[in-house]
Amino acid sequence: MHIDVLLEILRAIGRFFINPIVYMTIFLTIFLGYRRVKKERKSFNIRILSGWSELKNSILASLLVSFIVSVVIMAVGLTMTPQFLLILMAVTIIGLVLYTFHLLSPIVLFALSVVALVILRVIGKAYTIVGVEISGVIWQDVTIVPLCIVAGLLVIVEGVLIRKYGANLASPILEKTKRGLQAVSYFSKQVWVLPLFVLIPGEVIPSYIPYWPQFTIGEQAFSFVLFPFVIGFQQLTRKTLPVYFYPKLAKSIIWLGSMVVLGGIGAYFVPEVAFVVLMLGALMRLFIVLRYKLQDRDDVYAVAPSPIGATIAAVLPNSPAEKMGLLTGEVIKKVNGREVQTERELYEALQVNAAHCKLEVLDHKKELRLTQHVVHSDDHYRIGLLLAR
């Protein structure tokens, strides 16, 4: 008994590593890191984070949430059909190739996949892919219910990941204002792949676990599948600092995911509702993107050169500036008693006391604070600061 179940799990893991989505996502995260570093070197002559940061973030951030969501899916018995997973794989690959990460939100991918299945049913077409016949479904089909709930769970995960990592990998971009001045915007573009265990109709599990809960009607057997669910995200911010903007955006997305999950649970009794919730959820997710994009159309920047001091555009990791607690968007008024506004003035002020620096800083609340740090010979000569020029 235990050997059969273990073999089924091993088969699921094997199928995961032959899925092209896994390798496309790995390549894409490496490419994102390469492009980010290239832009940072062009604007500031230095990279802020390693080019491997996106890949490391994608892998490490996904492991814990993947385990939690897999446990929920399998404990509740949320099933998916092989037909849906194949269509989802095709839609996800198209989204990755198009490089438009707004389309890689889970709710959007799920909605597009369900619409594709409905269209196949309406036109009466059937296709066979890797031995699985895809003939479409009617939108009233009860299998829509678990899909809606899983989509909602993944949208909640999307919000959690954005809240935790959105600002961390937001890269500064130099832009010119309408008045010809230079200011800084921040762009975060991420892709995560979540390896989730899902249940599909099969022959092994129910023989040993007959009490396993399920949503689908007429199916009495399940098998494991480890499927790579992709979450893509991109958003630029000008008017609001990343540390405040991305948590606010994440909150909207988490609320949307919660509503989709509740709608899916309610649709258990009226399956037609799940289809409506799924479509509305996808539209709302795209509306959130549009809403925040329109808010940033004005020529207003949270980080721009200031007449009262040197505005911090970014803080290099593991630098004296980071150890002093300096943050993006703060304004340095004085260094070692000297007023500064430019990188050159900052450098010259640091030479007043080459082994120790004292700073007067205006924080995000425009309150003055003092900070200081010992500068070692191997530290960055500008103490790890990138300034708005």
Side-chain angles (χ1 to χ4, degrees):
M1 175 182 73
H2 298 296
I3 293 178
D4 289 339
V5 175
L6 178 60
L7 288 174
E8 190 70 14
I9 294 174
L10 292 176
R11 291 191 190 100
I13 295 174
R15 297 186 195 105
F16 174 83
F17 284 106
I18 63 173
N19 195 311
I21 291 177
V22 176
Y23 302 100
M24 289 183 68
T25 307
I26 291 174
F27 170 79
L28 200 55
T29 54
I30 296 173
F31 179 69
L32 286 174
Y34 166 77
R35 286 201 64 186
R36 175 183 54 76
V37 169
K38 188 175 180 180
K39 289 180 179 179
E40 289 171 355
R41 290 189 185 279
K42 182 178 179 180
S43 297
F44 299 98
N45 299 316
I46 192 172
R47 66 166 173 80
I48 298 173
L49 294 173
S50 165
W52 298 99
S53 298
E54 280 78 1
L55 178 61
K56 290 165 59 178
N57 172 65
S58 178
I59 295 174
L60 297 178
S62 303
L63 294 179
L64 179 60
V65 290
S66 296
F67 174 77
I68 295 173
V69 176
S70 293
V71 169
V72 172
I73 289 174
M74 299 183 68
V76 178
L78 300 172
T79 61
M80 296 185 182
T81 63
Q83 291 87 350
F84 173 78
L85 291 178
L86 283 172
I87 287 291
L88 179 62
M89 182 176 71
V91 172
T92 302
I93 289 174
I94 293 172
L96 290 170
V97 171
L98 291 176
Y99 199 63
T100 303
F101 286 14
H102 298 312
L103 301 178
L104 293 178
S105 174
I107 190 75
V108 176
L109 292 174
F110 273 52
L112 291 175
S113 300
V114 169
V115 168
L117 287 172
V118 172
I119 291 174
L120 286 176
R121 181 60 177 255
V122 171
I123 64 178
K125 292 285 187 178
Y127 300 92
T128 300
I129 303 176
V130 293
V132 177
E133 182 179 314
I134 303 176
S135 57
V137 296
I138 55 175
W139 61 269
Q140 297 97 333
D141 197 316
V142 73
T143 53
I144 298 294
V145 175
L147 294 183
C148 184
I149 296 174
V150 173
L153 290 173
L154 290 177
V155 172
I156 293 174
V157 170
E158 179 185 6
V160 171
L161 291 173
I162 292 172
R163 182 174 61 185
K164 188 171 182 180
Y165 300 103
N168 292 352
L169 292 177
S171 182
I173 302 172
L174 288 178
E175 294 184 350
K176 277 194 175 182
T177 68
K178 293 179 180 179
R179 292 179 295 175
L181 302 176
Q182 279 197 331
V184 183
S185 63
Y186 296 86
F187 186 63
S188 186
K189 190 164 188 173
Q190 313 284 318
V191 60
W192 297 278
V193 57
L194 272 61
L196 300 183
F197 277 106
V198 296
L199 295 170
I200 63 171
E203 298 296 334
V204 174
I205 297 174
S207 302
Y208 308 114
I209 316 178
Y211 53 82
W212 197 280
Q214 61 186 42
F215 269 98
T216 54
I217 294 175
E219 298 290 348
Q220 300 298 322
F222 301 96
S223 288
F224 288 110
V225 167
L226 186 62
F227 189 85
F229 291 87
V230 169
I231 296 177
F233 153 75
Q234 66 180 63
Q235 199 79 40
L236 181 140
T237 178
R238 293 188 181 96
K239 295 172 64 175
T240 308
L241 291 169
V243 69
Y244 302 118
F245 174 81
Y246 291 105
K248 183 179 178 182
L249 172 65
K251 185 177 180 180
S252 301
I253 295 172
I254 291 172
W255 270 107
L256 174 62
S258 302
M259 294 300 102
V260 173
V261 170
L262 291 176
I265 294 173
Y268 178 69
F269 303 99
V270 186
E272 294 90 339
V273 173
F275 180 84
V276 177
V277 170
L278 200 57
M279 297 302 116
L280 287 178
L283 292 175
M284 285 300 299
R285 180 64 185 91
L286 295 175
F287 174 76
I288 290 173
V289 172
L290 181 61
R291 174 192 167 196
Y292 282 98
K293 188 174 182 179
L294 291 176
Q295 288 179 356
D296 257 352
R297 285 195 310 172
D298 299 335
D299 193 39
V300 178
Y301 291 82
V303 177
S306 171
I308 61 174
T311 306
I312 301 174
V315 178
L316 299 181
N318 303 316
S319 65
E322 185 181 63
K323 295 170 184 175
M324 283 189 284
L326 298 178
L327 302 173
T328 297
E330 292 185 326
V331 178
I332 301 173
K333 292 198 65 175
K334 291 183 179 181
V335 176
N336 291 331
R338 288 191 178 186
E339 294 185 353
V340 297
Q341 283 188 316
T342 65
E343 284 193 52
R344 181 179 181 84
E345 291 174 351
L346 173 66
Y347 172 68
E348 290 174 350
L350 285 173
Q351 306 313 304
V352 173
N353 189 341
H356 199 89
C357 64
K358 298 180 181 179
L359 280 71
E360 295 182 20
V361 182
L362 282 179
D363 63 17
H364 295 161
K365 297 180 180 179
K366 305 303 178 184
E367 296 177 352
L368 187 67
R369 66 183 176 90
L370 303 177
T371 184
Q372 56 186 351
H373 184 72
V374 175
V375 180
H376 300 287
S377 58
D378 57 346
D379 283 331
H380 191 278
Y381 80 100
R382 291 184 179 90
I383 66 172
L385 289 174
L386 300 181
L387 303 180
R389 301 171 183 174

